[in-house]
Amino acid sequence: MCRILIIDDDKDLCKLLKRNLENEGYSVSICNDGESGLQEAQGADYQLVILDIMLPKKNGYEVLLELRKTSHIPILMLTARDSEGDKVSGLRMGADDYLTKPFSNSEFLARVSSILRRSMLFGKNRDTNNKIILGDLSIDVLKHEVCKENAIIELTAKEFDLLLFFAKNQGQVFTKRQIYNAVWDDEYAFDDNNIMVHIRRLRKKIEDNPEMPTHILTVWGVGYKSGGTLG
């Protein structure tokens, strides 16, 4: 059973979210301040943390930064703040998604389901030192940096997500639908061209010879896979 931790000082909202999540089959725990929430998140095995920003003892940003020092656990920021700057700050610090209060139950459950789906696809091979090696590429997950021969390769956010997806799942073959659902965080819309364009651009940046790729390989009639195997 998937375990979810809610860290929010609004006790009525926590009860409501807990009930709705449990109706979907999730196991839910609640903490009402940042300090106890951080301790609980660090001391138990959860698959998702739902984290408010305005918290007593430790605010949500502080909890987020502490968790990201040692953990890749998915984090959904839940807050009454709605400015673009707040959202960008949370995402840059390592949050996986950002939901502004008030929100509908259907939107909330959809965000939870989406984050967990992505986590399952990305997270089968979580590294412990925040870096993944794919051939001659070094990928720093927390810094969002990719280096080749000690030189940083400039990637767009979507290109980085795409590369990270393959690096986290080395040797596995994925259809375009699976790639789109994971990296674009959306239901597949028969947008094969979008995927192919991004892979072509990514290959130009990371491959010695984009016409003969070694990092992201085409599996004809199926989809794509990375050129390595974690082990």
Side-chain angles (χ1 to χ4, degrees):
M1 179 181 292
C2 182
R3 300 185 65 199
I4 296 175
L5 174 63
I6 301 174
I7 308 176
D8 196 312
D9 61 343
D10 187 334
K11 296 182 179 180
D12 290 334
L13 178 62
C14 286
K15 290 179 182 178
L16 175 62
L17 297 181
K18 178 180 172 68
R19 182 172 67 248
N20 292 336
L21 288 169
E22 289 179 339
N23 287 340
E24 296 296 315
Y26 302 113
S27 173
V28 182
S29 299
I30 294 173
C31 291
N32 296 128
D33 66 78
E35 191 172 282
S36 64
L38 177 60
Q39 293 175 352
E40 177 67 18
Q42 292 175 326
D45 182 24
Y46 289 98
Q47 283 70 55
L48 174 64
V49 172
I50 297 170
L51 177 63
D52 190 27
I53 288 182
M54 303 302 292
L55 291 169
K57 297 186 178 180
K58 282 184 180 291
N59 66 46
Y61 290 140
E62 292 174 312
V63 174
L64 173 61
L65 288 173
E66 284 298 315
L67 285 176
R68 280 294 174 258
K69 289 179 180 179
T70 58
S71 174
H72 295 287
I73 184 172
I75 296 175
L76 171 61
M77 301 297 289
L78 200 65
T79 178
R81 296 187 177 189
D82 59 359
S83 76
E84 190 70 21
D86 289 327
K87 295 180 181 180
V88 170
S89 295
L91 293 172
R92 284 182 174 173
M93 289 179 187
D96 293 84
D97 202 353
Y98 199 112
L99 189 56
T100 303
K101 303 173 186 177
F103 49 82
S104 68
N105 181 54
S106 58
E107 181 182 9
F108 170 70
L109 292 176
R111 296 289 185 95
V112 168
S113 176
S114 176
I115 291 174
L116 291 173
R117 183 179 69 244
R118 292 188 69 192
S119 177
M120 289 179 64
L121 286 172
F122 277 90
K124 293 178 182 178
N125 298 297
R126 293 285 187 189
D127 59 295
T128 57
N129 63 357
N130 302 323
K131 290 187 179 181
I132 306 172
I133 302 301
L134 179 61
D136 57 358
L137 301 176
S138 175
I139 304 168
D140 190 310
V141 179
L142 296 187
K143 292 183 179 179
H144 267 231
E145 286 184 355
V146 178
C147 292
K148 182 175 182 178
E149 298 176 352
N150 296 320
I152 295 177
I153 300 175
E154 296 294 336
L155 299 180
T156 66
K158 192 61 65 180
E159 289 168 350
F160 182 89
D161 288 345
L162 187 59
L163 179 61
L164 181 61
F165 173 75
F166 284 110
K168 288 288 189 182
N169 299 279
Q170 293 184 33
Q172 298 182 59
V173 179
F174 291 95
T175 66
K176 295 184 181 73
R177 177 187 293 272
Q178 290 172 318
I179 296 169
Y180 192 91
N181 287 347
V183 179
W184 273 257
D185 194 17
D186 198 0
E187 292 300 322
Y188 185 63
F190 303 100
D191 195 2
D192 288 358
N193 186 64
N194 193 18
I195 297 172
M196 291 186 291
V197 167
H198 276 81
I199 288 179
R200 184 166 63 247
R201 289 175 179 170
L202 181 57
R203 280 173 170 168
K204 288 182 179 180
K205 295 181 179 182
I206 66 175
E207 302 284 1
D208 291 333
N209 182 356
E211 300 302 319
M212 299 181 64
T214 60
H215 298 98
I216 299 177
L217 309 179
T218 300
V219 181
W220 297 108
V222 182
Y224 298 91
K225 71 173 183 177
S226 71
T229 303
L230 283 180

